[in-house]
Amino acid sequence: MMLEPAIAEEVIAANIKQFLLVLSVSLGVATLPQIFSWFRHIPYTLLLVIVGLGLAFVDIRLVNLSPELILLIFLPPLLFEAAWNLKWLDLKRDFLPICLYAVLGVVISIVGVVIGLSQFAGLSLTTALLIGASLSATDPVSVTALFRELGVGSRLVTLMEGESLFNDGMAVVAFGVLVALPLGNVQLELQPILLQLLTVVGIGVAVGGLIGFGISYLTQRFDLPMVEQSLTLVSAYGTYLITEDLGGSGVIGVVTTGLILGNFGSRIGMNPRTRIIVSEFWEFLAFFVNSIVFLLIGDQIHFTGLAENLHIIAITVVAMIFMRLIAIYLLSNLSIKLTNSEISLPDQTILWWGGLRGSVSIALALSVPIILPEREKIIATVFGVVLFTLLFQGLTIKPLLQKLNLLGDASLRDRYLELTARYIALERVLQHLQTDSRPGINLEFYRYQEALIKGEMANLQIDIEKLQKEYPNLQDFTLEQFREELFAIEADTYAEFVKSGRLSKDLAPMLQEVLQKGQ
């Protein structure tokens, strides 16, 4: 009887050591680009995959990657962080193309892969369907991180992230329906499938909305950054678990909660300082989780299984890329006709080539029931395709951006923002000097410091004007930044009035009006 607690303690100790090993390796590799400039040419997520492949090659397995680990532990914070940072106005502007990519794009992708595998690889319909459904979810984390680093247009980021957020939910729902077919748990009829789809999505939106708005109004009653930060974390995991238990899509639920808290709750219930604290917390958490996930993706590769199914992987890659090309160009043109909102050909090309696959695809493949005869073939194929998209497509997206002239002026904007920030900071110091009359300090010292600051401000003003003359686009950027600051101040003022009881708590219409003025 005394042995059982001892064995349990040994198991817990071994698991903690394994987790700390994974954490040390992943965070160590992820910080390499910050130390060595050469590594900055490779997105840190792809660098982690490469290191994971090296560990797999020498047969070092850090941990057994399970679908539960991905879907229950890793996925909710990644979804919440992306939804938190996705601006509602940007999403609303491109809602139609995003929905087309996320819904019809999933169907087109599955159909194309199924046809390719059944016709050219000789796989059964069941196996082809499960592979197609597993690979229908995009995961462009590496691509969007690179976009922000290079200053690529925000609309392209919105389209890619919006599609990824919504098609993750659609892919999980589609996989759930298709995996139940060979088990005899569902009938392949249009009406029941559509009813199930609407039910799953509806429950996700309802639970996510209830939790999102509930926490939004709860945080109005206090100003405790640590508590509000903790509430967002609890909401991400809580929404996923509750929605799944009720038979809905946890993915859709978390995305809904994140969108509400990021665009509404953080405005009415958090002061600017708290919003910054919460945003920085989620930025770190996403970096933390992504570091682990991408390392483990590479580390889980079994080269023998890849070699045995190489022809199936090749056929799947060709079918998937070809069908995504058709889906993106077809649905983009349909969206343009319906909304008169142009999506340029270069943007469509990046959307096509940037549709990488990642952790969701692997989680779905690993969750295929053991009783299905070709389970190992499905897993090997999905792993092989994910690896191809991450390494080949992920590493070639930057040259493609350069070829299409889509690289932004991020470094120039950073330099401009740095100069203006220093100028404003010195201006505030000067104001303090002019109003401060502290006893014991010589008047000449005040004048000397004032002259130094004015000289530095004059130099900064020259540098700023020089940049503006050389790059006229900075003028539009400056006006855009200033306008956003003005509307942020207006929205924050309304939130303060609500907290003090000087304004009705029905703040949503007023904030919506403020945001619309900022368009």
Side-chain angles (χ1 to χ4, degrees):
M1 295 293 292
M2 295 295 294
L3 289 176
E4 290 185 5
I7 294 172
E9 288 179 6
E10 288 182 8
V11 171
I12 293 173
N15 288 336
I16 292 176
K17 288 179 181 178
Q18 200 171 30
F19 171 74
L20 291 176
L21 177 62
V22 173
L23 189 60
S24 301
V25 174
S26 60
L27 293 181
V29 174
T31 53
L32 281 178
Q34 305 303 320
I35 302 172
F36 303 103
S37 59
W38 184 86
F39 287 107
R40 293 172 191 168
H41 298 288
I42 306 174
Y44 81 94
T45 49
L46 302 187
L47 189 62
L48 285 160
V49 174
I50 295 170
V51 172
L53 282 173
L55 294 174
F57 185 75
V58 295
D59 202 27
I60 297 177
R61 306 295 175 178
L62 296 173
V63 71
N64 183 32
L65 196 60
S66 66
E68 291 78 17
L69 187 65
I70 296 175
L71 295 176
L72 295 179
I73 305 299
F74 294 152
L75 191 58
L78 294 178
L79 292 170
F80 186 93
E81 189 270 341
W84 169 276
N85 289 309
L86 191 61
K87 293 182 179 179
W88 170 248
L89 291 177
D90 294 338
L91 180 63
K92 185 174 71 171
R93 178 190 60 194
D94 289 314
F95 192 70
L96 179 61
I98 286 172
C99 287
L100 290 175
Y101 299 150
V103 179
L104 295 182
V106 167
V107 175
I108 292 172
S109 175
I110 294 175
V111 170
V113 171
V114 168
I115 293 173
L117 290 177
S118 59
Q119 293 295 317
F120 300 102
L123 296 185
S124 65
L125 181 61
T126 298
T127 302
L129 282 169
L130 293 179
I131 292 175
S134 299
L135 292 170
S136 60
T138 59
D139 186 13
V141 172
S142 308
V143 175
T144 53
L146 187 66
F147 283 179
R148 292 191 178 93
E149 179 184 339
L150 298 174
V152 176
S154 61
R155 189 187 185 195
L156 200 50
V157 177
T158 301
L159 286 169
M160 294 203 74
E161 284 195 335
E163 178 201 2
S164 177
L165 284 173
F166 290 112
N167 83 354
D168 281 353
M170 295 304 302
V172 171
V173 172
F175 181 86
V177 171
L178 295 175
V179 80
L181 285 175
L183 302 177
N185 297 331
V186 71
Q187 294 181 346
L188 190 60
E189 296 179 4
L190 183 61
Q191 186 174 351
I193 289 177
L194 285 177
L195 181 61
Q196 181 181 355
L197 176 65
L198 292 174
T199 301
V200 168
V201 173
I203 293 174
V205 172
V207 174
L210 185 64
I211 293 176
F213 283 115
I215 292 180
S216 295
Y217 286 107
L218 180 64
T219 54
Q220 288 183 69
R221 302 185 177 278
F222 49 79
D223 182 22
L224 300 170
M226 297 300 290
V227 174
E228 294 174 75
Q229 180 176 286
S230 302
L231 281 174
T232 58
L233 182 61
V234 170
S235 70
Y237 283 105
T239 301
Y240 188 91
L241 294 173
I242 292 171
T243 307
E244 289 289 324
D245 287 343
L246 293 176
S249 169
V251 174
I252 298 295
V254 174
V255 170
T256 303
T257 301
L259 282 171
I260 292 171
L261 288 176
N263 290 275
F264 178 73
S266 64
R267 288 292 183 190
I268 70 165
M270 299 180 186
N271 63 40
R273 177 174 169 272
T274 302
R275 283 205 306 273
I276 292 173
I277 291 173
V278 174
S279 296
E280 288 179 346
F281 165 75
W282 279 104
E283 183 180 356
F284 168 75
L285 190 59
F287 168 78
F288 176 82
V289 173
N290 274 319
S291 299
I292 296 175
V293 169
F294 282 91
L295 178 71
L296 294 181
I297 287 176
D299 185 55
Q300 298 297 301
I301 296 296
H302 292 273
F303 293 98
T304 304
L306 294 184
E308 292 174 352
N309 296 280
L310 196 58
H311 67 292
I312 299 176
I313 294 171
I315 293 171
T316 306
V317 166
V318 172
M320 185 187 70
I321 292 177
F322 179 69
M323 294 310 294
R324 180 162 178 82
L325 183 147
I326 292 176
I328 291 297
Y329 287 105
L330 180 66
L331 298 176
S332 295
N333 284 299
L334 176 61
S335 172
I336 291 170
K337 290 181 179 178
L338 294 175
T339 62
N340 293 322
S341 179
E342 184 70 24
I343 302 175
S344 68
L345 194 60
D347 283 355
Q348 294 179 42
T349 303
I350 295 298
L351 288 170
W352 160 57
W353 193 246
L356 279 58
R357 269 57 174 180
S359 55
V360 174
S361 295
I362 287 175
L364 294 178
L366 291 173
S367 62
V368 172
I370 299 176
I371 62 173
L372 293 182
E374 295 185 309
R375 180 176 184 270
E376 295 304 319
K377 186 174 291 186
I378 294 171
I379 293 174
T381 302
V382 171
F383 265 94
V385 174
V386 168
L387 193 61
F388 174 87
T389 65
L390 289 176
L391 294 183
F392 186 75
Q393 291 180 255
L395 291 174
T396 55
I397 196 74
K398 183 176 179 179
L400 185 59
L401 286 167
Q402 292 173 329
K403 185 74 174 176
L404 296 173
N405 295 319
L406 289 175
L407 290 183
D409 51 0
S411 59
L412 178 64
R413 291 188 177 192
D414 288 343
R415 172 65 178 160
Y416 181 77
L417 289 173
E418 179 187 343
L419 290 174
T420 53
R422 288 173 59 192
Y423 186 88
I424 293 171
L426 289 174
E427 191 176 42
R428 292 181 181 178
V429 173
L430 185 62
Q431 290 173 356
H432 180 73
L433 273 174
Q434 292 171 345
T435 56
D436 189 286
S437 57
R438 195 170 305 177
I441 298 179
N442 192 304
L443 184 61
E444 289 300 320
F445 179 80
Y446 276 103
R447 291 173 179 171
Y448 175 70
Q449 293 295 327
E450 184 176 340
L452 285 177
I453 293 170
K454 286 182 177 179
E456 181 64 21
M457 289 175 65
N459 292 333
L460 288 171
Q461 184 68 38
I462 292 171
D463 291 340
I464 291 171
E465 291 176 354
K466 183 179 178 182
L467 274 179
Q468 289 178 333
K469 288 178 181 177
E470 291 180 2
Y471 305 98
N473 289 338
L474 280 177
Q475 185 68 26
D476 295 334
F477 174 66
T478 306
L479 294 174
E480 180 184 347
Q481 292 286 107
F482 187 64
R483 186 177 61 177
E484 288 181 1
E485 290 176 14
L486 294 177
F487 288 118
I489 292 171
E490 184 180 353
D492 291 339
T493 304
Y494 294 145
E496 289 175 11
F497 284 171
V498 169
K499 284 188 176 183
S500 63
R502 296 157 63 190
L503 192 64
S504 167
K505 288 211 167 78
D506 188 13
L507 191 56
M510 186 176 294
L511 280 180
Q512 183 65 25
E513 182 182 345
V514 173
L515 292 173
Q516 284 176 349
K517 287 195 295 182
Q519 294 184 60

